[in-house]
Amino acid sequence: MKRTPEPELMDAPDQARAYAEADFKEPNRLFVNLFLELAIDTNVRNLIDLGCGPGDICIRLAGKLPGCRVVGLDAGPNMLSLAHTAVKQADLEARIELVLARLPDQTPEQRFDAVVSNSLLHHLPDPMVLWQSIRRLAAPGCRVQVMDLHRPDSPSAVETIVDAHAADAPEVLRTDFRNSLHAAYTSKEVLAQIEAAGLSELNLSRPSDRHWMVQGRLD
Ligand SMILES: C[S@@+](CC[C@H](N)C(=O)[O-])C[C@H]1O[C@@H](n2cnc3c(N)ncnc32)[C@H](O)[C@@H]1O
């Protein structure tokens, strides 16, 4: 099935709020658990989450990594404002910094021990923006973890996934999910992207029926 891009930013107030209120516990827990395995033998002092959205993954990671300073970066002011509220509620303002910035032009100068990103890639008109930003942000030995949806083979396979995982979700979220599956990159496309970015040391796996994950260490 051919890819159908969706808008880069999902920052209309209603859309951002519906996304922040959606139940992403299962994939977000999976993301954090797999990151903890990846970083098990390292002291992650600082980490950046690219396209952090409403901040749930930043908060979960900060909770599991008590010595780590977390930066959440996002280009959507409404999303980031929801992230600010969530970080304040979690009482993590001292360790989580939220930055309004758009990749690639506003990529921070700093280098990080870990760079993570969930569900950003399929929003980017040029996917190489993410992989090149990761290269720029990685300190030596950096742990990298990127997860996103895998584009199914056909529109009917998309509907099967939407029904399996969002049967009871509000229509606005079902539509977002459907559009995201149509906009997603396949594992094969992602492998070609990481090779073109000179990141072949990263490995790709399929941690669920609807996701791919790229992980590894950059020296
Ligand atoms: C689907 S949301 C994912 C949010 C979060 N990572 C999560 O897992 O829930 C994608 C996010 O990427 C942000 N985004 C899109 N293009 C961006 C860019 N060029 N630079 C920074 N953030 C961007 C959007 O504003 C949106 O919040």
Side-chain angles (χ1 to χ4, degrees), residues 35 38-39 42-50 61 65 68-71 111-117 134 137-145 216:
F35 180 80
L38 174 71
T42 186
N43 178 19
V44 180
R45 294 156 301 179
N46 60 9
L47 170 157
I48 187 164
D49 179 1
L50 303 177
L61 284 170
L65 300 166
C68 180
R69 188 180 142 264
V70 174
V71 175
R111 299 284 178 271
F112 291 84
D113 291 339
V115 182
V116 305
S117 182
I134 289 173
L137 289 162
C142 180
R143 286 348 191 236
V144 173
Q145 179 168 296

Short mmCIF file of all heavy atoms in Angstrom, two decimals, residues 35 38-39 42-50 61 65 68-71 111-117 134 137-145 216:
data_model
loop_
_atom_site.label_atom_id
_atom_site.label_comp_id
_atom_site.label_asym_id
_atom_site.label_seq_id
_atom_site.Cartn_x
_atom_site.Cartn_y
_atom_site.Cartn_z
N PHE A 35 13.69 0.48 26.55
CA PHE A 35 14.80 1.42 26.74
C PHE A 35 15.64 1.02 27.96
O PHE A 35 16.87 1.07 27.91
CB PHE A 35 14.32 2.87 26.88
CG PHE A 35 15.47 3.80 27.07
CD1 PHE A 35 16.23 4.21 25.98
CD2 PHE A 35 15.87 4.21 28.33
CE1 PHE A 35 17.35 5.01 26.15
CE2 PHE A 35 16.99 5.01 28.51
CZ PHE A 35 17.73 5.42 27.42
N LEU A 38 17.94 -1.63 27.05
CA LEU A 38 19.02 -1.12 26.18
C LEU A 38 20.09 -0.40 27.00
O LEU A 38 21.28 -0.48 26.68
CB LEU A 38 18.40 -0.15 25.17
CG LEU A 38 19.35 0.62 24.25
CD1 LEU A 38 19.96 -0.34 23.23
CD2 LEU A 38 18.63 1.76 23.53
N ALA A 39 19.65 0.31 28.04
CA ALA A 39 20.57 1.18 28.80
C ALA A 39 21.04 0.52 30.10
O ALA A 39 21.62 1.20 30.96
CB ALA A 39 19.88 2.50 29.10
N THR A 42 24.58 1.21 31.47
CA THR A 42 25.14 2.54 31.28
C THR A 42 24.50 3.55 32.22
O THR A 42 23.36 3.35 32.67
CB THR A 42 24.97 2.98 29.81
OG1 THR A 42 25.65 4.21 29.63
CG2 THR A 42 23.53 3.20 29.43
N ASN A 43 25.25 4.62 32.51
CA ASN A 43 24.72 5.67 33.36
C ASN A 43 24.21 6.79 32.44
O ASN A 43 24.99 7.57 31.92
CB ASN A 43 25.86 6.17 34.28
CG ASN A 43 25.39 7.31 35.16
OD1 ASN A 43 24.19 7.49 35.35
ND2 ASN A 43 26.33 8.08 35.68
N VAL A 44 22.90 6.82 32.24
CA VAL A 44 22.32 7.84 31.35
C VAL A 44 22.10 9.11 32.18
O VAL A 44 21.19 9.18 32.99
CB VAL A 44 20.99 7.35 30.74
CG1 VAL A 44 20.40 8.42 29.82
CG2 VAL A 44 21.19 6.05 29.98
N ARG A 45 22.98 10.11 31.94
CA ARG A 45 22.88 11.35 32.74
C ARG A 45 21.92 12.35 32.12
O ARG A 45 21.30 13.14 32.78
CB ARG A 45 24.27 11.99 32.89
CG ARG A 45 25.22 11.15 33.72
CD ARG A 45 26.64 11.47 33.39
NE ARG A 45 26.90 11.25 31.96
CZ ARG A 45 28.04 11.45 31.35
NH1 ARG A 45 29.06 11.92 32.01
NH2 ARG A 45 28.19 11.21 30.06
N ASN A 46 21.83 12.28 30.78
CA ASN A 46 20.87 13.17 30.12
C ASN A 46 20.30 12.49 28.87
O ASN A 46 20.97 11.69 28.22
CB ASN A 46 21.50 14.53 29.78
CG ASN A 46 22.69 14.41 28.87
OD1 ASN A 46 22.98 13.34 28.35
ND2 ASN A 46 23.40 15.48 28.67
N LEU A 47 19.07 12.79 28.60
CA LEU A 47 18.33 12.11 27.54
C LEU A 47 17.42 13.13 26.87
O LEU A 47 16.86 14.00 27.54
CB LEU A 47 17.52 11.00 28.22
CG LEU A 47 16.46 10.20 27.50
CD1 LEU A 47 16.28 8.86 28.23
CD2 LEU A 47 15.12 10.87 27.39
N ILE A 48 17.26 13.00 25.53
CA ILE A 48 16.30 13.88 24.85
C ILE A 48 15.26 13.04 24.13
O ILE A 48 15.58 12.01 23.53
CB ILE A 48 17.02 14.88 23.89
CG1 ILE A 48 16.00 15.89 23.33
CG2 ILE A 48 17.78 14.17 22.77
CD1 ILE A 48 16.65 17.13 22.70
N ASP A 49 14.00 13.46 24.24
CA ASP A 49 12.87 12.79 23.59
C ASP A 49 12.39 13.72 22.47
O ASP A 49 11.84 14.80 22.73
CB ASP A 49 11.77 12.55 24.63
CG ASP A 49 10.54 11.86 24.03
OD1 ASP A 49 10.54 11.55 22.82
OD2 ASP A 49 9.57 11.64 24.79
N LEU A 50 12.59 13.30 21.22
CA LEU A 50 12.26 14.15 20.06
C LEU A 50 10.80 13.96 19.67
O LEU A 50 10.35 12.84 19.44
CB LEU A 50 13.18 13.79 18.89
CG LEU A 50 14.69 13.91 19.20
CD1 LEU A 50 15.52 13.46 18.00
CD2 LEU A 50 15.05 15.33 19.60
N LEU A 61 10.13 7.85 31.79
CA LEU A 61 11.58 7.63 31.80
C LEU A 61 12.22 8.32 33.00
O LEU A 61 13.08 7.74 33.68
CB LEU A 61 12.21 8.14 30.50
CG LEU A 61 12.00 7.23 29.29
CD1 LEU A 61 12.45 7.92 28.01
CD2 LEU A 61 12.74 5.90 29.44
N LEU A 65 14.59 6.58 35.84
CA LEU A 65 16.02 6.93 35.79
C LEU A 65 16.25 8.13 36.71
O LEU A 65 16.33 9.28 36.25
CB LEU A 65 16.42 7.30 34.35
CG LEU A 65 16.24 6.23 33.27
CD1 LEU A 65 16.35 6.83 31.87
CD2 LEU A 65 17.28 5.12 33.44
N CYS A 68 18.78 11.04 36.02
CA CYS A 68 18.83 11.52 34.64
C CYS A 68 18.03 12.81 34.45
O CYS A 68 16.92 12.94 34.93
CB CYS A 68 18.27 10.41 33.74
SG CYS A 68 18.27 10.82 32.00
N ARG A 69 18.65 13.76 33.70
CA ARG A 69 17.93 14.97 33.30
C ARG A 69 17.30 14.70 31.93
O ARG A 69 17.97 14.21 31.02
CB ARG A 69 18.94 16.12 33.20
CG ARG A 69 18.31 17.45 32.98
CD ARG A 69 19.37 18.56 32.89
NE ARG A 69 18.96 19.51 31.89
CZ ARG A 69 19.35 19.51 30.64
NH1 ARG A 69 20.22 18.62 30.21
NH2 ARG A 69 18.88 20.40 29.80
N VAL A 70 16.01 14.98 31.80
CA VAL A 70 15.28 14.66 30.57
C VAL A 70 14.88 15.95 29.87
O VAL A 70 14.36 16.87 30.50
CB VAL A 70 14.02 13.81 30.90
CG1 VAL A 70 13.16 13.60 29.66
CG2 VAL A 70 14.42 12.47 31.52
N VAL A 71 15.14 16.00 28.55
CA VAL A 71 14.66 17.12 27.74
C VAL A 71 13.60 16.58 26.79
O VAL A 71 13.82 15.61 26.08
CB VAL A 71 15.82 17.76 26.92
CG1 VAL A 71 15.29 18.85 25.99
CG2 VAL A 71 16.88 18.32 27.85
N ARG A 111 24.94 17.67 23.38
CA ARG A 111 24.98 16.23 23.05
C ARG A 111 24.38 15.45 24.23
O ARG A 111 24.50 15.89 25.37
CB ARG A 111 26.41 15.76 22.82
CG ARG A 111 27.11 16.45 21.66
CD ARG A 111 26.61 15.90 20.33
NE ARG A 111 27.23 16.60 19.21
CZ ARG A 111 26.75 17.70 18.64
NH1 ARG A 111 25.65 18.26 19.10
NH2 ARG A 111 27.35 18.26 17.62
N PHE A 112 23.80 14.29 23.93
CA PHE A 112 23.06 13.53 24.96
C PHE A 112 23.57 12.09 25.05
O PHE A 112 23.98 11.50 24.06
CB PHE A 112 21.57 13.53 24.63
CG PHE A 112 20.94 14.89 24.77
CD1 PHE A 112 21.00 15.82 23.74
CD2 PHE A 112 20.33 15.26 25.97
CE1 PHE A 112 20.44 17.09 23.89
CE2 PHE A 112 19.77 16.52 26.12
CZ PHE A 112 19.82 17.44 25.07
N ASP A 113 23.43 11.52 26.27
CA ASP A 113 23.77 10.11 26.49
C ASP A 113 22.70 9.19 25.86
O ASP A 113 22.95 8.01 25.64
CB ASP A 113 23.83 9.79 27.99
CG ASP A 113 25.01 10.46 28.67
OD1 ASP A 113 25.98 10.81 27.97
OD2 ASP A 113 24.95 10.64 29.90
N ALA A 114 21.50 9.73 25.67
CA ALA A 114 20.44 8.92 25.04
C ALA A 114 19.53 9.84 24.22
O ALA A 114 19.22 10.96 24.65
CB ALA A 114 19.63 8.19 26.10
N VAL A 115 19.14 9.35 23.06
CA VAL A 115 18.17 10.06 22.21
C VAL A 115 17.05 9.08 21.91
O VAL A 115 17.29 7.97 21.42
CB VAL A 115 18.81 10.54 20.88
CG1 VAL A 115 17.78 11.32 20.06
CG2 VAL A 115 20.04 11.39 21.13
N VAL A 116 15.82 9.49 22.23
CA VAL A 116 14.67 8.61 21.98
C VAL A 116 13.60 9.39 21.22
O VAL A 116 13.57 10.62 21.23
CB VAL A 116 14.08 8.03 23.29
CG1 VAL A 116 15.13 7.31 24.11
CG2 VAL A 116 13.40 9.10 24.13
N SER A 117 12.72 8.63 20.57
CA SER A 117 11.62 9.27 19.86
C SER A 117 10.54 8.23 19.60
O SER A 117 10.83 7.11 19.17
CB SER A 117 12.12 9.84 18.52
OG SER A 117 11.07 10.50 17.85
N ILE A 134 19.37 12.80 15.13
CA ILE A 134 19.91 11.84 16.11
C ILE A 134 21.43 11.84 16.05
O ILE A 134 22.12 11.91 17.07
CB ILE A 134 19.31 10.44 15.86
CG1 ILE A 134 17.84 10.44 16.26
CG2 ILE A 134 20.10 9.36 16.60
CD1 ILE A 134 17.07 9.18 15.90
N LEU A 137 22.81 14.92 17.76
CA LEU A 137 22.55 15.04 19.20
C LEU A 137 23.28 13.98 20.04
O LEU A 137 23.33 14.08 21.27
CB LEU A 137 21.04 14.91 19.46
CG LEU A 137 20.21 16.11 18.98
CD1 LEU A 137 18.73 15.73 18.86
CD2 LEU A 137 20.38 17.28 19.95
N ALA A 138 23.80 12.95 19.37
CA ALA A 138 24.36 11.81 20.11
C ALA A 138 25.77 12.08 20.63
O ALA A 138 26.67 12.42 19.86
CB ALA A 138 24.39 10.58 19.20
N ALA A 139 25.96 11.92 21.94
CA ALA A 139 27.31 11.91 22.52
C ALA A 139 27.92 10.53 22.25
O ALA A 139 27.19 9.58 21.96
CB ALA A 139 27.21 12.15 24.03
N PRO A 140 29.26 10.39 22.36
CA PRO A 140 29.85 9.06 22.14
C PRO A 140 29.22 8.02 23.09
O PRO A 140 29.03 8.30 24.27
CB PRO A 140 31.34 9.28 22.47
CG PRO A 140 31.55 10.76 22.24
CD PRO A 140 30.26 11.43 22.59
N GLY A 141 28.88 6.86 22.55
CA GLY A 141 28.26 5.80 23.35
C GLY A 141 26.76 5.99 23.54
O GLY A 141 26.13 5.26 24.31
N CYS A 142 26.19 6.96 22.81
CA CYS A 142 24.77 7.30 22.98
C CYS A 142 23.85 6.09 22.72
O CYS A 142 24.02 5.36 21.74
CB CYS A 142 24.42 8.42 22.00
SG CYS A 142 22.71 8.94 22.07
N ARG A 143 22.86 5.90 23.61
CA ARG A 143 21.82 4.90 23.37
C ARG A 143 20.70 5.57 22.57
O ARG A 143 20.24 6.67 22.93
CB ARG A 143 21.22 4.39 24.67
CG ARG A 143 22.04 3.44 25.54
CD ARG A 143 23.24 2.87 24.92
NE ARG A 143 23.80 1.79 25.72
CZ ARG A 143 25.04 1.77 26.15
NH1 ARG A 143 25.88 2.75 25.89
NH2 ARG A 143 25.50 0.73 26.84
N VAL A 144 20.29 4.91 21.50
CA VAL A 144 19.25 5.45 20.63
C VAL A 144 18.08 4.49 20.60
O VAL A 144 18.28 3.28 20.49
CB VAL A 144 19.81 5.62 19.18
CG1 VAL A 144 18.71 6.03 18.21
CG2 VAL A 144 20.95 6.64 19.17
N GLN A 145 16.89 5.03 20.72
CA GLN A 145 15.69 4.18 20.59
C GLN A 145 14.58 4.98 19.89
O GLN A 145 14.17 6.03 20.36
CB GLN A 145 15.20 3.69 21.95
CG GLN A 145 13.93 2.83 21.82
CD GLN A 145 13.61 2.09 23.10
OE1 GLN A 145 14.36 1.25 23.56
NE2 GLN A 145 12.46 2.41 23.69
N GLY A 216 19.94 0.93 19.51
CA GLY A 216 21.36 0.58 19.53
C GLY A 216 22.20 1.63 20.20
O GLY A 216 21.68 2.55 20.84
#
